[in-house]
Amino acid sequence: MRRQTEHGAPHPDLLALAVQLRRLNGEVNRLVHGFAVGQGLHPTDVQALSAILDSTVPLTPGLLRQRLGLTSGAVTACVDRLERAGHITRVRESSDRRVVHLRYVPGAQARARFHFKPLAEATERVRRGFSESELAVVLRFLGDLNEELASPGHPQA
């Protein structure tokens, strides 16, 4: 349920939350773009790396295409760039040799960890100022928001 003022305008806390989410998105995008430029990649390639790293199941190019909302050609170009840059490898580990899984190369993960270390350190510093119950609420909020945005009924663009 969307909270509104008596005049029908969005509630001020929702507006403040929107501002903070945009600011966070901008800061993360700045770091992502810096990493992409430093690695000779596109920002979308970094999104693909995140999807591969965070996936709970082995990703195929088809699943990656669905997760990122890209065309088959765009995913192929992205995977080719990531493989040439040494970030991922294509692995055929199923009995069906046509199935290709995308794996993040451990050495490449170290490069990414180094670049994003300031983000990890800032997150840790801020996290220390919250109780476990407060962090649980923040994580639940972010998880629910991500699920809502990823739901099939949510418009893609």
Side-chain angles (χ1 to χ4, degrees):
M1 182 171 132
R2 188 171 236 181
R3 292 180 57 186
Q4 296 181 337
T5 64
E6 63 187 70
H7 306 292
H11 197 279
D13 63 351
L14 289 178
L15 293 174
L17 183 59
V19 168
Q20 293 304 319
L21 287 171
R22 282 192 299 270
R23 284 186 62 202
L24 176 61
N25 185 56
E27 292 302 320
V28 170
N29 280 341
R30 183 179 56 78
L31 289 167
V32 165
H33 280 80
F35 181 73
V37 167
Q39 298 295 309
L41 302 172
H42 295 250
T44 301
D45 300 342
V46 182
Q47 285 182 297
L49 287 173
S50 293
I52 293 165
L53 180 65
D54 295 340
S55 182
T56 57
V57 299
L59 280 189
T60 63
L63 283 172
L64 182 62
R65 180 187 62 74
Q66 289 174 354
R67 296 240 172 115
L68 298 181
L70 299 174
T71 65
S72 295
V75 165
T76 298
C78 173
V79 169
D80 287 347
R81 282 190 303 270
L82 290 171
E83 192 171 41
R84 275 193 312 273
H87 286 276
I88 66 165
T89 186
R90 291 174 167 108
V91 179
R92 287 179 172 79
E93 51 195 24
S94 140
S95 59
D96 184 347
R97 301 295 291 159
R98 295 172 294 177
V99 175
V100 174
H101 292 131
L102 307 172
R103 296 278 185 228
Y104 207 139
V105 174
Q109 284 180 321
R111 284 186 274 165
R113 268 193 300 278
F114 179 78
H115 180 84
F116 289 102
K117 188 176 181 182
L119 175 61
E121 290 170 343
T123 302
E124 177 56 22
R125 282 190 303 275
V126 171
R127 185 202 62 79
R128 283 189 222 124
F130 290 81
S131 70
E132 293 300 318
S133 62
E134 289 172 322
L135 284 172
V137 171
V138 170
L139 285 172
R140 184 169 58 89
F141 173 81
L142 292 173
D144 288 355
L145 182 56
N146 282 323
E147 289 301 316
E148 178 70 22
L149 292 173
S151 70
H154 191 272
Q156 292 298 312

